[in-house]
Amino acid sequence: MATALTTDPHAADTAGAQRFRLITALYFTQYLGVGFLTIGLVAILRDGGTSLATLGMLQTIGLIWPLKFLWSPLVDRFGSRRFGHYRSWLVPLQLGLVVTLLALTPFATPSDHLGPVMAICALFVFFSATQDIAADALAVRLLSDGDRGLGNGIQVGGNYLGSVVGGGLAVVVYDRFGWVPAMVMLALLTATALGVVIAFREPERVVQVRRPGLRELLSVFGQPGCRSWVLVVVPLYYIGAAVGYAIVSPALVDAGWSLTKIGIVSGAIASAPAVLAALGAGALVRRWGRPRVLVLGGALLVIATLGLVPLALGEAATVWTTIALCAFMAAYAVANVVVYTINMDFARPDSAGTDFTTLTSFALAVSFVAAAIALTAAVYVGYIGVLVGSIVLIAVGTVLGLRHQRRHGHA
């Protein structure tokens, strides 16, 4: 399914390292801004007095990501043969990410300028979502079946590394030096992937690409087991994790943590083990198979979510909360790796970006809505009620996921 870059053994090792370096750079820089928007900006706005209901509205900007399946066929269909089909998308999109981050610099007190800040954030998410289509398509094309576990481990690990910087370091920089230095830092780091993309030589596409259309867009669901996986298993699995994760930043602010402390613990320290967990899960997928790692991820998520109960009750002791957040982020990473790997199994080479995007979009849409609802629901049922719902959904999703993989999955 993947396209080999070369047949020379020595050159193949170099080419293999090149494609893994490309995947790391794309997903790391992509998630710098996303991590800031979902973690750092939420904490900054809450510290500035923004209500939970308004923060819930901010979360809905993330709906652009799952809606990207609507234009994903265009990314598969149109591109430059001379410069590389997906590379010709990635270069301008990466520049777009940099420009939109710099566009945020004039709004030093974002809580006082919610309208323009949210509009710019929406544009950033659009560029990020479209970049993700092209990046995912390249990953599907370049990774063999045996490499997909490791490739998705690197992908998820890169996301979490971006979260460490975007959701952690950026908040610390903001708290110590101000808004402008934080935005400039994010923009400069995002620009680093440009060199990697420009240096990459994309293999020629030899497959016939179908014309974009609704029938072609939905044809991926015709594969055995695809509908039940995407429409039932993954949403339950993801909603549970998203609901629990949504309350972390506001709960820490409500517990009296400073922005610097939240940035260091929630954004940086807690995300660091997730990078290692993602890489480890990638290796385990190849050794243990998809079903066992799926169950492992679900079990770890349930246990880790239980560890957040003291925080939900207002008891945010530094040591315990740090351990609980580390465990939650690591478990979330394991779950992400196996879900992405199975999604990639369903993606076809002639419509790689469209298929992979379509497979993830529904679950992401439900997850973003669930996160928004969770913040609003916390006003009525409290943070603890939200966590209970999270645990139930994760457990049900894990059981159904194991049944699905026994019937339709890989070994």
Side-chain angles (χ1 to χ4, degrees), residues 22 74 87 119 153 175 179 186 214 216 241 254-255 261 287 307 311 337 379 392 400:
L22 175 71
L74 300 177
R87 184 167 166 263
D175 201 32
W179 177 261
L186 290 175
L214 183 59
E216 289 75 16
D254 292 349
K261 188 175 181 180
R287 176 171 296 193
L311 174 62
V337 169
V379 177
V392 172
L400 294 179

Side-chain angles (χ1 to χ4, degrees), residues 119-275:
I120 295 171
C121 288
L123 183 59
F124 176 90
V125 174
F126 172 77
F127 287 144
S128 178
T130 309
Q131 186 253 36
D132 187 59
I133 297 170
D136 288 340
L138 268 182
V140 172
R141 290 192 62 217
L142 299 177
L143 297 175
S144 65
D145 185 74
D147 286 336
R148 285 180 189 159
L150 179 59
N152 282 286
I154 292 174
Q155 175 187 149
V156 175
N159 283 172
Y160 279 104
L161 187 59
S163 181
V164 169
V165 179
L169 181 59
V171 175
V172 175
V173 172
Y174 165 80
D175 201 32
R176 297 294 178 86
F177 304 105
W179 177 261
V180 173
M183 294 302 98
V184 171
M185 179 197 71
L186 290 175
L188 290 176
L189 288 175
T190 301
T192 60
L194 278 172
V196 180
V197 176
I198 293 171
F200 180 74
R201 292 298 175 261
E202 183 180 344
E204 183 180 356
R205 287 179 99 206
V206 296
V207 296
Q208 178 65 39
V209 183
R210 294 187 295 271
R211 292 186 179 276
L214 183 59
R215 179 174 298 178
E216 289 75 16
L217 187 69
L218 300 179
S219 63
V220 65
F221 290 99
Q223 300 177 85
C226 189
R227 282 192 295 271
S228 59
W229 169 254
V230 177
L231 302 180
V232 179
V233 177
V234 177
L236 289 170
Y237 210 58
Y238 264 30
I239 291 171
V243 165
Y245 188 61
I247 70 165
V248 169
S249 288
L252 290 173
V253 171
D254 292 349
W257 282 32
S258 69
L259 288 179
T260 295
K261 188 175 181 180
I262 293 173
I264 292 174
V265 175
S266 179
I269 296 177
S271 294
V275 177

